[in-house]
Amino acid sequence: MNQKVLVFLLPNFLFGIFLLGLFCKRQRNLSVTGPFSDRFEDWLMIQNDRKNTLASVCLEKNLLKSRSKLDFHVANQLFVEHRHKLIYCEVPKVGCSNWKRTIFLLQADLNMKAAEIEHDNIHRTSVIKKLTSYPPEKQEEFLSNYTKVMFTRHPLERLVSAYRDKLLHSEPFYSITVANEIRAMFRKNNNSSEKVSFQEFVNFIITKQPNALDIHWKPMFLLCDPCNIHYDVLGKYETLGLDSEHVLKIIGAPESMHYPSLKRYSSEKRTTGDITLEYFRQLSSEQIEKIKKVYQLDFFLFNYSMKYEDYFSTGG
């Protein structure tokens, strides 16, 4: 195996051994054996597969870099929870609001339920700290010693979710500022107040450089830099509940703590594969190819199929 791949994988391999040992110790203390233990080992194997795929693509696409200082934009996506030594990379539209609720409860040690924390409040609170709150030497210390996790989602489903959440509701910055920018680019009548269509939204994105995109639709690898930050857990939206529960066990969260499944607009359906297909049927083949190119590295790094019709019709 290539030496660079070995260097990349070694920390994850050692962490996997540590997790298995820690889990086995807890199981012995609890005198628990059987199906759950087997499920944890199966989960670790899936984690290793995800990390191996990531490492191979990072090397193949020349995404490994030596850095003297963590990129500010990446550090700004990383939230630190000290009591359980957790670093969470926020990827919008991949369950981040519920993860921030969870971090808030872990950090604050309050007798509250996740449902009591309003969506807007959790994104404004000063209780949970970003890595950028700390000097560079502390950032490196936390990155070296804390459990680091990130979650991904099929790039096209995440895109549709972002469109529905930000362009079809009344959040002023997106429904007015961003929407007006899109209308000005693609409509002759600037006074038109009709909601931005999905086609216009896609055309807007493909005119931009990926690094310049809003975090709600910026490629996931640019948000979290997984080729240069060795995440201990690579979760997926498709296995969000299971991955989250294992993260909570790994960091030693209270047994009563569970990842919530709250939704901001509770009367609406979540963005599913079927809904994603409905939106993508509105696009031309040229638009589809161009938007897939924007998220190409997300597809490769996180092992999502570009044949999205097959992917969603079989449930991923």
Side-chain angles (χ1 to χ4, degrees):
M1 184 181 288
N2 187 291
Q3 187 176 4
K4 287 185 178 180
V5 176
L6 283 172
V7 170
F8 184 91
L9 286 176
L10 184 59
N12 292 321
F13 175 72
L14 294 175
F15 187 76
I17 294 174
F18 166 75
L19 289 185
L20 190 56
L22 178 64
F23 179 77
C24 290
K25 182 179 179 181
R26 284 184 182 174
Q27 295 299 85
R28 284 196 300 271
N29 291 341
L30 294 171
S31 300
V32 176
T33 58
F36 187 81
S37 178
D38 292 339
R39 289 199 300 273
F40 185 78
E41 291 182 22
D42 290 343
W43 180 79
L44 280 180
M45 289 177 63
I46 292 169
Q47 283 295 307
N48 284 333
D49 286 344
R50 291 174 182 175
K51 291 172 187 176
N52 289 340
T53 298
L54 178 74
S56 298
V57 177
C58 288
L59 181 66
E60 179 189 342
K61 302 297 181 182
N62 199 29
L63 296 172
L64 301 173
K65 57 190 177 188
S66 57
R67 55 174 174 80
S68 56
K69 185 179 178 182
L70 183 65
D71 181 272
F72 174 83
H73 297 289
V74 175
N76 205 43
Q77 296 300 120
L78 300 175
F79 287 83
V80 186
E81 199 281 294
H82 294 293
R83 296 184 72 228
H84 301 84
K85 295 187 175 182
L86 172 70
I87 292 179
Y88 164 74
C89 184
E90 179 187 22
V91 179
K93 311 315 305 169
V94 191
C96 69
S97 298
N98 283 328
W99 254 112
K100 288 168 84 171
R101 286 185 176 98
T102 301
I103 291 171
F104 178 90
L105 294 173
L106 288 169
Q107 184 78 37
D109 194 26
L110 298 173
N111 187 24
M112 293 178 65
K113 294 183 179 179
E116 297 176 56
I117 307 172
E118 294 290 335
H119 178 276
D120 290 343
N121 292 341
I122 197 58
H123 290 286
R124 295 173 185 157
T125 181
S126 60
V127 172
I128 53 177
K129 303 292 186 183
K130 292 185 176 185
L131 196 61
T132 48
S133 305
Y134 303 94
E137 61 272 16
K138 280 293 183 183
Q139 293 182 20
E140 292 297 336
E141 178 187 331
F142 299 151
L143 285 168
S144 297
N145 295 294
Y146 285 18
T147 300
K148 300 171 291 297
V149 303
M150 72 170 290
F151 285 78
T152 61
R153 186 177 189 176
H154 191 284
L156 303 187
E157 186 177 279
R158 176 173 173 255
L159 182 68
V160 171
S161 179
Y163 168 74
R164 295 178 72 212
D165 183 36
K166 299 302 177 186
L167 275 303
L168 298 186
H169 292 107
S170 56
E171 196 172 335
F173 176 72
Y174 294 98
S175 64
I176 298 174
T177 307
V178 174
N180 283 342
E181 182 183 354
I182 296 173
R183 292 187 190 105
M185 290 177 68
F186 301 109
R187 294 184 187 179
K188 293 180 180 179
N189 179 11
N190 288 342
N191 294 322
S192 172
S193 60
E194 287 183 16
K195 289 187 183 295
V196 169
S197 70
F198 185 62
Q199 297 97 313
E200 290 171 325
F201 177 63
V202 167
N203 284 337
F204 170 70
I205 289 175
I206 61 183
T207 63
K208 303 278 187 180
Q209 290 297 315
N211 264 314
L213 293 173
D214 182 273
I215 62 169
H216 292 86
W217 43 85
K218 180 181 281 190
M220 296 176 284
F221 85 97
L222 291 176
L223 294 173
C224 299
D225 194 16
C227 290
N228 299 289
I229 295 176
H230 300 297
Y231 288 94
D232 303 300
V233 176
L234 296 175
K236 289 195 173 188
Y237 186 82
E238 295 76 11
T239 51
L240 181 59
L242 177 65
D243 293 339
S244 298
E245 290 301 314
H246 281 304
V247 170
L248 292 174
K249 285 184 173 65
I250 287 165
I251 65 173
E255 288 189 13
S256 59
M257 176 74 69
H258 298 284
Y259 178 80
S261 58
L262 302 169
K263 189 177 185 302
R264 185 181 190 183
Y265 302 107
S266 56
S267 62
E268 294 183 0
K269 289 183 178 179
R270 292 188 186 275
T271 301
T272 61
D274 287 341
I275 289 174
T276 301
L277 287 174
E278 286 178 21
Y279 277 92
F280 269 79
R281 290 187 187 110
Q282 301 171 21
L283 304 180
S284 68
S285 57
E286 182 182 3
Q287 286 175 308
I288 291 170
E289 290 309 307
K290 285 182 177 179
I291 199 66
K292 286 198 291 188
K293 190 172 182 180
V294 171
Y295 298 103
Q296 181 173 267
L297 285 172
D298 278 351
F299 281 105
F300 293 159
L301 288 163
F302 307 119
N303 199 24
Y304 287 107
S305 174
M306 283 196 176
K307 297 179 179 178
Y308 66 94
E309 290 174 304
D310 294 341
Y311 179 88
F312 290 128
S313 64
T314 58

